[in-house]
Amino acid sequence: MSTVLIVVALIVVVAAAVAAVLYGTGKGGGRGGLKRRFGPEYERAVNRHHGDVKAAENELTERVRRHGELRPRPLPAEARDQYVAHWAGLQERFVDSPRQAVVEADKLISRLAADRGFPDAEQHADHLDALSVHHAHEVDGYRRVHQAASEAGHDASTEELREAMVAARRLFERLVLDAKEDSPRHRPGIPGRSPALRPKGSGV
């Protein structure tokens, strides 16, 4: 084989490799693309499949197939203000009724997600899958508050309830504020955490 043909063959191989990497990155495909897209959800899926990376990636790929094209609906300004006020009220209620506040926070986030166009919370697994595709770094906080609000969470301590509420707040904020259609001048402020919800030793 001549030197020219060898060079041409190498160029073709390199170009194909680059195209494959770019396609995987752009479409969220491949191990690297899935890790970047799902972050902590990727590791959670691998752990749930007992270290079977292929099974975990198949699951995550299926989530993207089912929910990747979902385009969250914007919220009317009045609805956003109401959600923000409701959350602020739950933070205040946490002082006297921590468990009830967590139960209401779980319901509030599920209703907010439905208003943004995510699957109904009655189909909880599908509901979480869709949220994980679009909010992979925040969805686990919602998962924690849902667990704390369930019958299985009755033995949770006040500190565990507080931590669940704080973690769930991240998804609440994203669902309220994170919409391209929203006008920044209409974005409501998110009240600060009440003292009862502040991490110990933190100024948050």
Side-chain angles (χ1 to χ4, degrees):
M1 183 180 290
S2 68
T3 302
V4 173
L5 289 177
I6 293 174
V7 171
V8 170
L10 288 173
I11 291 174
V12 170
V13 170
V14 170
V18 170
V21 170
L22 290 176
Y23 180 83
T25 301
K27 301 294 183 180
R31 181 168 302 177
L34 287 170
K35 277 188 173 181
R36 282 189 293 275
R37 179 165 195 160
F38 283 95
E41 282 292 295
Y42 181 94
E43 299 303 327
R44 185 177 184 278
V46 171
N47 290 336
R48 189 171 59 256
H49 286 280
H50 307 290
D52 187 337
V53 172
K54 184 175 181 180
E57 292 181 348
N58 286 341
E59 177 192 326
L60 296 176
T61 299
E62 176 62 14
R63 289 191 205 178
V64 174
R65 186 193 68 78
R66 296 200 325 268
H67 304 294
E69 297 302 315
L70 186 154
R71 293 294 176 265
R73 295 190 296 259
L75 286 173
E78 182 179 356
R80 284 177 291 170
D81 290 344
Q82 289 174 351
Y83 274 113
V84 170
H86 196 162
W87 186 271
L90 291 179
Q91 290 187 153
E92 294 176 0
R93 192 179 309 168
F94 187 93
V95 176
D96 297 318
S97 304
R99 178 166 177 75
Q100 186 59 36
V102 165
V103 169
E104 290 300 319
D106 177 45
K107 294 178 181 178
L108 184 66
I109 295 175
S110 69
R111 189 164 69 248
L112 172 57
D115 281 354
R116 292 300 309 273
F118 288 92
D120 194 279
E122 290 184 3
Q123 304 295 325
H124 193 66
D126 200 47
H127 180 67
L128 283 176
D129 283 353
L131 286 167
S132 75
V133 170
H134 295 270
H135 299 289
H137 291 269
E138 294 82 23
V139 71
D140 194 57
Y142 174 40
R143 189 181 286 118
R144 288 173 60 186
V145 90
H146 182 75
Q147 177 67 19
S150 69
E151 292 295 325
H154 268 300
D155 294 331
S157 67
T158 300
E159 177 63 14
E160 288 170 333
L161 294 173
R162 182 196 66 78
E163 290 175 355
M165 189 92 165
V166 170
R169 176 188 165 104
R170 295 180 60 199
L171 180 62
F172 173 82
E173 291 177 349
R174 289 294 301 274
L175 289 172
V176 166
L177 299 178
D178 188 21
K180 291 181 180 180
E181 298 87 350
D182 291 346
S183 170
R185 67 191 180 87
H186 290 146
R187 290 189 175 187
I190 301 291
R193 296 179 178 88
S194 69
L197 297 180
R198 291 177 184 168
K200 292 181 178 178
S202 169
V204 178

